[in-house]
Amino acid sequence: MTFPITKTNGGDLVPSARTFESGDYPVKTYKAQNGAEHRILYGSNRTNMKLSLTYANIQDADAELFLDHYDLVQGTFQTFALGNINGFNPTRGGWEGNNDALGAQTHGNNYRYEGPPQVAQVASGRSTVTVNLIGVL
């Protein structure tokens, strides 16, 4: 099962808000006795990217897709790709920049959950879901 990108009744499941932190390359900094700084690059891939997606006012059945996916990947244990529909990734819906700019896969990473999805019921049959993802090698 891929990350939820399709509504239960069809159509794309597009977030109403997103935040993205671009992560960094693995670097270790050492200070010599004379105070000089030495930095060592320990890899060629950026990692620890953080993607937070909010789906406001969606049907409860669509909110349940995120809870089911969280169970399927055993919470924060397994990694996963976000998936595409005809070359389009709905998690980037509304983003007008380059599609690979917000992705972990471009840098050799997959995503995993940073914590459980947060679900807030906003009306009868409607919820707002927030998922926090982190890019890992």
Side-chain angles (χ1 to χ4, degrees), residues 22-26 45-49 107 109 134-137:
S22 59
D24 201 359
Y25 292 86
N45 290 326
R46 189 167 31 133
T47 189
N48 207 30
M49 295 162 220
H107 301 281
N109 290 238
I134 187 165
V136 293
L137 292 174

Side-chain angles (χ1 to χ4, degrees), residues 26-136:
V27 174
K28 184 72 175 175
T29 303
Y30 299 95
K31 290 221 178 203
Q33 286 183 339
N34 67 358
E37 181 179 275
H38 297 278
R39 298 170 55 86
I40 299 173
L41 181 65
Y42 279 103
S44 59
N45 290 326
R46 189 167 31 133
T47 189
N48 207 30
M49 295 162 220
K50 294 184 179 181
L51 179 63
S52 178
L53 303 169
T54 301
Y55 298 84
N57 199 24
I58 62 174
Q59 293 181 6
D60 286 345
D62 293 329
E64 189 177 346
L65 294 173
F66 295 99
L67 299 172
D68 291 344
H69 185 258
Y70 183 75
D71 285 337
L72 184 70
V73 297
Q74 297 172 306
T76 61
F77 181 64
Q78 293 183 26
T79 62
F80 52 88
L82 294 182
N84 291 311
I85 300 172
N86 298 324
F88 170 70
N89 184 322
T91 61
R92 295 189 195 104
W95 169 257
E96 295 182 7
N98 191 344
N99 279 340
D100 66 354
L102 294 182
Q105 289 85 357
T106 304
H107 301 281
N109 290 238
N110 275 325
Y111 280 111
R112 71 170 175 78
Y113 285 96
E114 191 172 36
Q118 301 162 8
V119 179
Q121 189 170 20
V122 295
S124 180
R126 304 299 257 175
S127 293
T128 294
V129 177
T130 301
V131 293
N132 295 308
L133 308 175
I134 187 165
V136 293

